[in-house]
C-alpha cells in the first residue's frame, strides 16, 4: 500500500509556493506489549476518571487546559490553537539556506519525507534540483499538532527530506557533565589512538541490527512453543585494572580479531559478500546460538564452522 500522508501544506520559498505532502521517513520496529489479566488473557482497560468526584467523565466534558499557577487552570479551545498557528499555518516557511555540516546533530529529532501534491510536481522538482545543485540545506519553521517546529530541508535521492529539530533553548547545557581539566598521560593517549585506529572503518547501516529486539523475538517464539527459557547469569564485574594494560590488551585483541579475507563458499557464494541481515537469516536457519549478538564478522566465522 502507498504511504499515508500525515500532513499537507506547502513550502514557502520566497514568493514561490511548493505544495507538498508529509510522510514519516522511519518505521520503528518496536515490540508492543499489553497488560492482560493472566487467568483469562483479557486486556486491562482504563477509564477517564474525575479525581475529585471519583467517577467516569464523558469525552464532551474534557477540555485542554494550562495550569497557569497551582490550581489555576486556563481552558483552551480549538480556535485558540488555530489563532496561535496563524504565522506558519499549513506552510513550511524557509528562513535561510546553510551548509548541512553547520548543524550540530544534537538538534535533530525526527525525519520526514516531503512528496509533491497532485499537479505540484514541476515546482517541487525545481526546488529539489536548485537545493541539490547548491549543496545547501534550508532552515524552516512550520506548525503541526499544536506546536511550532524548527526544521531542516535537505535532498535525499531527489526527495525533499525534512529533519524536525529542537530549538536552541531546548538543548541542555553540558555544564557540570564534562570531567573538567584532567591530565592525560601521553603514552595512554597514543595507545588509545591506536585502539581507535583498529576500530575505524566505513559506516554501513545494514550491519547494525536491534539485537535486543531479535533476542526478545526468539524468546517469544520459544515460549509460544512451550520451550523453557534459560537466563544466563550476568558476568561478575571485573576488578579495576591498570588503564595502560587495558588499552594494550584491547589493541592486541582488536588486531587478533580481524576477519580472515580468505574466500568461503556456501552454496550461494561468498559469505563475506552477504549483508549482515542475510547472514543473520542464514544463522537463524542453522540455529546458531547467540546469533543476535554477533557482528557481521562473527556471523561469517560461525557459519563457516557450522
Amino acid at each position: 500500500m502507498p504511504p499515508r500522508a500525515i500532513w499537507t501544506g506547502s513550502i514557502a520559498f520566497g514568493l514561490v509556493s511548493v505544495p507538498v505532502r508529509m510522510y514519516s521517513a522511519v518505521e520503528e520496529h518496536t515490540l508492543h506489549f499489553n497488560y492482560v489479566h493472566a487467568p483469562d488473557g483479557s486486556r486491562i482497560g482504563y477509564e477517564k476518571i474525575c479525581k475529585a468526584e471519583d467517577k467516569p467523565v464523558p469525552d464532551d466534558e474534557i477540555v485542554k487546559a494550562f495550569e497557569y499557577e497551582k490550581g489555576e487552570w486556563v481552558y483552551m479551545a480549538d480556535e485558540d490553537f488555530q489563532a496561535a498557528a496563524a504565522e506558519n499555518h499549513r506552510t513550511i516557511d524557509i528562513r535561510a539556506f546553510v551548509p548541512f555540516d553547520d548543524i550540530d546533530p544534537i538538534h535533530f529529532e525526527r525525519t520526514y519525507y516531503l512528496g509533491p501534491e497532485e499537479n505540484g510536481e514541476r515546482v517541487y522538482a525545481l526546488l529539489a534540483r536548485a537545493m541539490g545543485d547548491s549543496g545547501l540545506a534550508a532552515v524552516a519553521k512550520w506548525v503541526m499538532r499544536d506546536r511550532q517546529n524548527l526544521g531542516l530541508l535537505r535532498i535525499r535521492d531527489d526527495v525533499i527530506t525534512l529533519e524536525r529539530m529542537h530549538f536552541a533553548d531546548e538543548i541542555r547545557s553540558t555544564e557540570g557533565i564534562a570531567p573538567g581539566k584532567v591530565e592525560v598521560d601521553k603514552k595512554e593517549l597514543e595507545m588509545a589512538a591506536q585502539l581507535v585506529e583498529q576500530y575505524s572503518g566505513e559506516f554501513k547501516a545494514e550491519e547494525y541490527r536491534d539485537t535486543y529486539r531479535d533476542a526478545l523475538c526468539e524468546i517469544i517464539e520459544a515460549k509460544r512453543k512451550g520451550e523453557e527459557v534459560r537466563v544466563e547469569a550476568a558476568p561478575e564485574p571485573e576488578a579495576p585494572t591498570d588503564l595502560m594494560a587495558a588499552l594494550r590488551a584491547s589493541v592486541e585483541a582488536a588486531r587478533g580479531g580481524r576477519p580472515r579475507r580468505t574466500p568461503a563458499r556456501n552454496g550461494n557464494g561468498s559469505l563475506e559478500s552477504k549483508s549482515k541481515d542475510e547472514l543473520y537469516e542464514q544463522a537463524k536457519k542453522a540455529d546458531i546460538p547467540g546469533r543476535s549478538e554477533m557482528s557481521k564478522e562473527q556471523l561469517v566465522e560461525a557459519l563457516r564452522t557450522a
Side-chain angles (χ1 to χ4, degrees):
M1 293 186 60
R4 198 177 96 184
I6 60 176
W7 183 90
T8 59
S10 62
I11 301 172
F13 174 40
L15 298 178
V16 178
S17 180
V18 184
V20 294
R21 297 174 182 175
M22 182 185 295
Y23 307 90
S24 178
V26 295
E27 182 182 14
E28 296 179 355
H29 294 164
T30 304
L31 296 177
H32 298 282
F33 295 88
N34 297 280
Y35 285 107
V36 298
H37 188 210
D40 57 19
S42 59
R43 292 174 182 266
I44 303 298
Y46 298 90
E47 292 183 307
K48 298 174 182 177
I49 304 293
C50 174
K51 293 185 178 181
E53 300 177 348
D54 194 26
K55 65 179 184 180
V57 179
D59 288 341
D60 60 1
E61 292 184 8
I62 298 175
V63 297
K64 287 185 178 180
F66 179 81
E67 191 171 20
Y68 192 82
E69 292 182 356
K70 185 68 174 178
E72 180 184 348
W73 297 98
V74 179
Y75 292 175
M76 301 290 288
D78 292 341
E79 294 77 12
D80 299 321
F81 294 99
Q82 293 172 6
E87 179 188 0
N88 302 114
H89 184 60
R90 292 294 171 190
T91 302
I92 300 172
D93 188 17
I94 293 177
R95 301 301 180 89
F97 288 94
V98 301
F100 180 77
D101 291 341
D102 284 0
I103 309 296
D104 187 333
I106 197 173
H107 286 276
F108 296 141
E109 181 184 355
R110 190 177 179 85
T111 306
Y112 300 93
Y113 290 144
L114 299 180
E117 275 274 38
E118 189 175 354
N119 300 322
E121 292 85 358
R122 183 171 176 272
V123 66
Y124 178 98
L126 177 66
L127 176 58
R129 178 66 180 273
M131 288 182 60
D133 291 348
S134 72
L136 298 176
V139 179
K141 294 174 71 176
W142 84 101
V143 171
M144 184 175 73
R145 295 172 182 169
D146 298 338
R147 62 170 286 189
Q148 188 177 64
N149 299 274
L150 179 68
L152 192 75
L153 300 173
R154 62 188 183 91
I155 308 302
R156 184 176 189 269
D157 297 334
D158 297 325
V159 171
I160 300 176
T161 301
L162 175 62
E163 306 283 354
R164 191 169 70 191
M165 300 169 61
H166 295 289
F167 285 96
D169 60 359
E170 295 178 316
I171 307 298
R172 291 178 174 174
S173 169
T174 59
E175 185 177 356
I177 298 176
K181 292 184 178 180
V182 178
E183 292 294 330
V184 177
D185 183 82
K186 184 178 179 180
K187 291 183 178 180
E188 292 176 348
L189 183 59
E190 291 174 351
M191 190 65 68
Q194 290 183 41
L195 184 58
V196 170
E197 176 64 25
Q198 290 296 321
Y199 280 92
S200 63
E202 295 181 0
F203 173 68
K204 297 179 180 178
E206 67 275 5
E207 292 188 3
Y208 296 87
R209 291 182 60 93
D210 184 349
T211 55
Y212 177 72
R213 179 182 181 277
D214 290 341
L216 273 179
C217 287
E218 292 176 13
I219 291 173
I220 291 170
E221 284 294 327
K223 298 196 74 170
R224 182 172 176 267
K225 296 175 181 177
E227 299 175 5
E228 181 182 357
V229 177
R230 297 182 180 180
V231 180
E232 297 183 4
E236 292 291 330
E238 297 181 1
T241 184
D242 176 73
L243 178 57
M244 190 65 181
L247 286 168
R248 185 178 293 108
S250 298
V251 170
E252 292 174 355
R255 286 173 177 168
R258 290 290 185 183
R260 295 196 300 268
R261 297 301 177 186
T262 53
R265 296 286 171 181
N266 192 25
N268 294 328
S270 170
L271 289 172
E272 283 86 351
S273 67
K274 296 180 181 293
S275 69
K276 187 176 179 183
D277 284 351
E278 291 172 328
L279 292 169
Y280 177 82
E281 291 302 322
Q282 200 167 326
K284 190 174 181 180
K285 291 178 181 178
D287 198 24
I288 294 176
R291 55 188 176 271
S292 61
E293 298 293 333
M294 292 182 180
S295 66
K296 179 179 178 180
E297 289 76 16
Q298 290 171 329
L299 285 168
V300 169
E301 292 296 327
L303 287 167
R304 183 182 289 122
T305 57

